[in-house]
Amino acid sequence: MNIIDGKKVSARVKAEVKAEAESLKAKGISIGLAVVIVGDNPASRVYVNNKKKACAEVGFDSFEYALPAETTQDELLALVDKLNSDAKVDGILVQLPLPSHIDKNAVINAISPEKDVDAFHPQNVGHIMIGDYAFLPCTPAGVMELIAETGIEVSGKKCVVIGRSNIVGKPMAMLLLHKNGTVTITHSRTRDLPSVTSEADILVAAVGKAGFVTADMIKPGAVVIDVGMNRNAEGKLCGDVDFEGCKEKAGYITPVPGGVGPMTIAMLMRNTLTAAKMHNGCQD
Ligand code: GUN
């Protein structure tokens, strides 16, 4: 059993981003990320704080817009519009979920694709689909870095993704496919899920249910990546994988916390750097 250390890999990615940000700064170019949060979802609050902290670490400016839960869709769209034309803002991130009276897709569609550092805009999703993209889908890209860390080639491997969300499951499958994995996407209607997952050389769990993946569901020696971020009955942060039960059987496994979470933020920093380079005409 090998534990993949997401904190270590994310520190390396952030150090690379920081070095590039410093050389841009020397040319008079500063980099800014706007983070918008609506309402007071406690998990969202933690994520937004972590994103701001990461900006400070790599030398970016961050601009937080914390709006009350009653904010109307029109008010939010007006803010997005303002940020789209603000030269100090290279990236715009609207933290999800949004309150139910706001149409999430209307907001995502309003973000300028050149500032869409989440890569959620349909134009950027299309770029990911055809494999020609500037912005990485943050969480799936972070997972790919963690898989690379194991030294195991994706090419030809059986890869199973549990979950089909637009944020993780679907783009995750695309990135594995771009690396020539043989990819299966499973979901709540999949019949006999354990028979599918136990064939996987690489298993990515993005279900949203604590301890969902148990040892009987994994292949001996598999790479097991846990995207889950759940609270158990005691309020403790835990993933979708029963870590204690699976750690001896898996070849490589990511912990929660300290696995995928830090990688998502590191990839967001990389995307914001990419956006700044594009906006300043210094894309290499
Ligand atoms: N909520 C959960 N994950 C994410 C993410 O990656 N980006 C945004 N904007 N909201 C999220």
Side-chain angles (χ1 to χ4, degrees), residues 36 44 47 51 93-97 118 120 138-139 167-168 264:
V36 182
S44 290
Y47 296 145
K51 287 167 186 177
L93 181 140
V94 178
Q95 187 65 31
L96 303 178
D118 264 323
F120 290 170
C138 298
T139 298
I167 295 184
V168 184
T264 297

Side-chain angles (χ1 to χ4, degrees), residues 90-283:
D90 295 292
I92 302 170
L93 181 140
V94 178
Q95 187 65 31
L96 303 178
L98 289 167
S100 56
H101 65 276
I102 296 177
D103 174 6
K104 172 186 75 176
N105 289 334
V107 177
I108 290 171
N109 291 349
I111 297 172
S112 163
E114 291 78 35
K115 296 190 177 189
D116 170 38
V117 285
D118 264 323
F120 290 170
H121 189 287
Q123 193 173 309
N124 288 324
V125 174
H127 280 296
I128 292 162
M129 185 85 180
I130 60 177
D132 161 34
Y133 49 95
F135 292 132
L136 310 161
C138 298
T139 298
V143 170
M144 295 307 287
E145 292 280 337
L146 294 175
I147 295 170
E149 186 70 9
T150 67
I152 288 175
E153 283 287 324
V154 174
S155 184
K157 297 289 183 338
K158 281 193 184 171
C159 306
V160 174
V161 179
I162 317 177
R164 54 175 155 179
S165 70
N166 289 332
I167 295 184
V168 184
K170 286 186 213 169
M172 185 72 249
M174 278 303 134
L175 299 198
L176 290 164
L177 185 59
H178 294 157
K179 288 283 182 195
N180 303 311
T182 301
V183 185
T184 303
I185 306 179
T186 65
H187 46 79
S188 55
R189 307 283 173 91
T190 297
R191 275 190 228 147
D192 192 8
L193 181 65
S195 73
V196 182
T197 56
S198 57
E199 294 259 301
D201 302 303
I202 298 172
L203 179 64
V204 181
V207 195
K209 286 188 186 147
F212 182 83
V213 175
T214 46
D216 58 302
M217 294 170 70
I218 68 172
K219 180 176 171 177
V223 177
V224 178
I225 309 282
D226 190 348
V227 182
M229 200 66 100
N230 315 294
R231 300 260 165 203
N232 67 10
E234 293 89 53
K236 187 168 162 273
L237 196 64
C238 54
D240 290 343
V241 176
D242 168 18
F243 183 84
E244 287 306 317
C246 292
K247 68 179 187 193
E248 300 304 333
K249 192 172 178 187
Y252 294 86
I253 189 166
T254 63
V256 177
V260 174
M263 291 307 300
T264 297
I265 295 183
M267 293 301 146
L268 174 68
M269 297 300 110
R270 196 182 262 177
N271 279 349
T272 307
L273 173 70
T274 301
K277 284 159 76 175
M278 290 191 311
H279 300 151
N280 290 283
C282 46
Q283 187 62 301

Side-chain angles (χ1 to χ4, degrees), residues 62-82:
S62 65
F63 312 104
E64 181 182 328
Y65 294 84
L67 308 179
E70 317 77 69
T71 302
T72 66
Q73 181 167 315
D74 282 348
E75 285 167 338
L76 181 55
L77 290 174
L79 172 62
V80 168
D81 213 34
K82 187 176 86 129

